[in-house]
Amino acid sequence: MSALGRLLTGNRVWRSIVRHGFPDSNRNRALAVFSNLFLHVHPVKVRLRAIAFSRTFFLGGLAAACFLILTITGVLLMLYYRPSVPEAYDDMKDLEFVVSSGVFLRNLHRWSAHAMVAIVFLHMVRVFFAGAYRPPREFNWVIGVVLFVTTILLSYTGYLLPWDQLAYWGVTVGANMAGATPWIGEDTRFLLLGGTEIGEPALLRFYVLHCVILPAVLVVLVAIHIWRVRKDGGIYLPPLDLSRDGGGKR
Ligand code: HEM
């Protein structure tokens, strides 16, 4: 190790944070994974077949990446947006014409949202065709279904926020569809809109759902989801076909 390296890592502050030695041995490499909050999502050893692109198309990770982009851009958009009827639409126009890079910020948020819905759906299809919903992973499939519904609800609640004609009538249709549910429809519609028609209370409810409640639900469920993948022994791998090419990559 260089003198600078020794200076940086050979002191008490560094050792109080990084508990393992330089990862140049199997033991230290394993400790580096165990003792790091982010890395410990992975097992210390993985099979080559499990990390091949064609196994998962990285769709789960890409869905998580979209959510990260949405959170960062969403928080930045919150600096410019006020969820009230007289201001919401004007704030969107300000983002378009006044705020520097406002259009870029808004479009990054919008396109990541579209991408997340598509990617989560494709991830679900991938998991289905791999048969990875079967025991012991059935609980994770159920969490996945809730994640899918939460993703759709995030998209839907964000739709009202620009407070333009598209938003207003789009949400009118959605709320009326909810209202058509047998027995609980009218109450659900009332609860969602905070009244009988779309106005200030509906905008505030959609804002709180979109910016606080649904993202919080998603964060907790994604944490359980990824932890569960780890506890179920990593992603599902079909048994090796040893008759072909010596079994190929293990
Ligand atoms: C916010 C949405 C979601 C995120 C961030 C997410 C994330 C992930 C990640 C990172 C993995 C491991 C790697 C991979 O398979 O790509 C995974 C696996 C899995 N996901 Fe998701 N997921 C989401 C939604 C869903 C949905 C909608 C379903 C199904 C209804 C689902 C069911 C599963 C199952 C069963 C596995 C284990 C797959 C296996 O063992 O091969 N997930 N997810």
Side-chain angles (χ1 to χ4, degrees):
M1 197 189 293
S2 66
L4 181 66
R6 268 198 302 278
L7 184 74
L8 278 175
T9 60
N11 57 66
R12 221 174 136 182
V13 176
W14 178 272
R15 281 201 304 274
S16 72
I17 302 168
V18 181
R19 306 285 173 85
H20 53 82
F22 192 74
D24 53 359
S25 66
N26 277 346
R27 183 176 179 278
N28 275 344
R29 275 194 281 270
L31 281 175
V33 174
F34 278 140
S35 57
N36 183 297
L37 174 69
F38 300 102
L39 291 184
H40 93 279
V41 167
H42 298 285
V44 168
K45 282 185 185 169
V46 285
R47 291 191 178 275
L48 267 182
R49 290 193 297 150
I51 50 172
F53 174 69
S54 56
R55 175 70 47 206
T56 59
F57 305 104
F58 303 161
L59 288 165
L62 286 173
C66 282
F67 182 60
L68 184 69
I69 297 175
L70 282 161
T71 308
I72 296 169
T73 52
V75 168
L76 292 176
L77 285 171
M78 284 172 82
L79 299 178
Y80 300 102
Y81 176 84
R82 287 162 295 173
S84 79
V85 172
E87 279 133 358
Y89 183 71
D90 287 351
D91 288 351
M92 297 313 292
K93 288 288 135 194
D94 277 0
L95 264 167
E96 206 172 325
F97 297 112
V98 183
V99 177
S100 106
S101 305
V103 177
F104 177 69
L105 187 62
R106 189 180 166 197
N107 279 339
L108 202 56
H109 195 74
R110 219 185 162 93
W111 282 102
S112 307
H114 294 326
M116 183 167 167
V117 173
I119 288 171
V120 169
F121 177 73
L122 291 175
H123 171 61
M124 195 163 123
V125 172
R126 196 291 291 172
V127 168
F128 179 78
F129 282 109
Y133 52 83
R134 285 185 295 228
R137 296 175 170 77
E138 67 270 51
F139 176 61
N140 222 8
W141 174 264
V142 175
I143 293 186
V145 172
V146 184
L147 278 174
F148 182 61
V149 174
T150 311
T151 306
I152 300 289
L153 286 176
L154 269 165
S155 252
Y156 176 65
T157 49
Y159 205 70
L160 183 65
L161 304 186
W163 201 249
D164 53 13
Q165 286 292 315
L166 192 64
Y168 186 88
W169 295 109
V171 170
T172 303
V173 172
N176 288 346
M177 281 166 70
T181 314
W183 300 303
I184 53 163
E186 274 312 306
D187 291 337
T188 309
R189 187 175 184 279
F190 191 88
L191 202 67
L192 195 63
L193 301 183
T196 50
E197 56 191 43
I198 296 177
E200 188 82 52
L203 182 58
L204 195 58
R205 273 173 198 222
F206 273 58
Y207 178 76
V208 175
L209 277 169
H210 187 74
C211 300
V212 183
I213 300 176
L214 293 171
V217 169
L218 203 96
V219 165
V220 172
L221 290 181
V222 166
I224 299 175
H225 189 63
I226 294 177
W227 172 78
R228 211 49 260 181
V229 173
R230 177 93 155 70
K231 292 291 156 191
D232 289 338
I235 63 156
Y236 168 74
L237 289 174
L240 276 177
D241 180 1
L242 292 170
S243 63
R244 270 185 52 218
D245 196 19
K249 283 180 183 169
R250 277 143 198 273

